Amino acid sequence: MSLTLRTISREQHLAYIQSLPSASHMQVPAWADVKAEWRSENLGWFDERTGEMVGAGLVLYRQLPKIKRYLAYLPEGPVINWFSPNLEDWLQPMLAHLKHQGAFSVKMGPPVIIRRWNAETIKKGIQSPDVKRLRDMEADFIEPRAFEVADKLRRMGWQQGEDGGAGFGDVQPRYIFQVPLANRSLEEVHKQFNQLWRRNIKKAEKAGVEVVQGGYQDLEEWQRLYEITAVRDHFRPRPLSYFQRMWTALNTEDPNRMRLYFARHNGVNLSAATMLIVGGHVWYSYGASDNIGREVRPSNAMQWRMLRDAYALGATVYDLRGISDSLDETDHLFGLIQFKVGTGGQAAEYLGEWDFPLNKLLHKALDIYMSRR
């Protein structure tokens, strides 16, 4: 298949995404409005023979201080046939185009999963003194084609980026946790939860915890809980304006793209979460909770409601996003994987982010600049 690449309209881009089973929420056209500090462009790949669009990509451009050169970033994209035998026919025109646009370096995140580990395997790993990381254990599923993709990228001159750890910040997580929903009943999903999760869901029910959906007007209340979480977990919170922009941008594109949930007890909101929906893929995106009321298990109740809602939407996967790959109980991010493993889902490892230095000197300068931040 011979391909051509060109800039497309947002409408064309959205129509293409809507024709797929799913794509990353960071590859929908409206994500450009969420990332307002970046310039953006929508790219389309076309089959020359039929004129049909066969791939799309959202590119975000970040300008270097003082000069008109850009870092071009395709988060969790582009949305192309990654297993194509002639991958260079997809990526070479993209690099040429981005260079022409003034990019000195390109960063992308192929949405390709290499390995998966089931919850049972991870639990055994946590109990084993020899296992420190997910990669120390044999995976339950391996995608051999993913290794071919990595080999092809290296041969083309792409360099594997730094690991995103748990995905806090602007680097996308290499390891994530998902609950598969396709061809399973809700009863089966619930049965796979560990005892503690099932007990906590029951506890919340008995205590009268209710889970409700909020709207744009409730984002200030979300922000209150989120900032409490940021202090407790030592991270820098995003401002309220970011979530307001996210809500407006995503729900203007599709009224059911972003949802907000609260778990409350006796009229007091104890925890909150944002949920994102693209086709059959549903993400638990941001979470927040107060320091009080933990004994009534609001977070478990909220996750169970969100998972049920994802199921009702016909989702094939409920995605709990980033985890660290560390299974060491002394690691400060261990609690995160422990909480998510309780859902009985799977840890998955992506190919990670890849860089292509179009201008080696500027790329090196950016590396130095980023490492000092």
Side-chain angles (χ1 to χ4, degrees), residues 202-213:
K202 217 179 217 130
K203 204 175 200 174
E205 253 170 53
K206 271 212 177 97
V209 171
E210 52 169 348
V211 181
V212 296
Q213 267 184 259

Side-chain angles (χ1 to χ4, degrees), residues 305-359:
R305 162 73 191 273
M306 287 165 72
L307 202 147
R308 292 200 318 268
D309 284 3
Y311 190 88
L313 286 166
T316 54
V317 63
Y318 180 68
D319 196 320
L320 291 135
R321 294 290 290 161
I323 51 171
S324 150
D325 70 330
S326 172
L327 299 181
D328 179 354
E329 298 190 19
T330 60
D331 190 296
H332 73 292
L333 290 170
F334 176 74
L336 197 62
I337 192 166
Q338 202 174 30
F339 178 75
K340 294 177 182 183
V341 164
T343 61
Q346 303 169 326
E349 179 191 359
Y350 275 94
L351 261 189
E353 296 201 316
W354 293 71
D355 298 301
F356 195 98
L358 291 164
N359 178 318

Side-chain angles (χ1 to χ4, degrees), residues 37-51:
E37 68 279 19
W38 299 66
R39 178 166 75 81
S40 68
E41 185 184 17
N42 308 80
L43 295 180
W45 280 259
F46 293 84
D47 180 343
E48 270 180 9
R49 214 167 29 87
T50 62

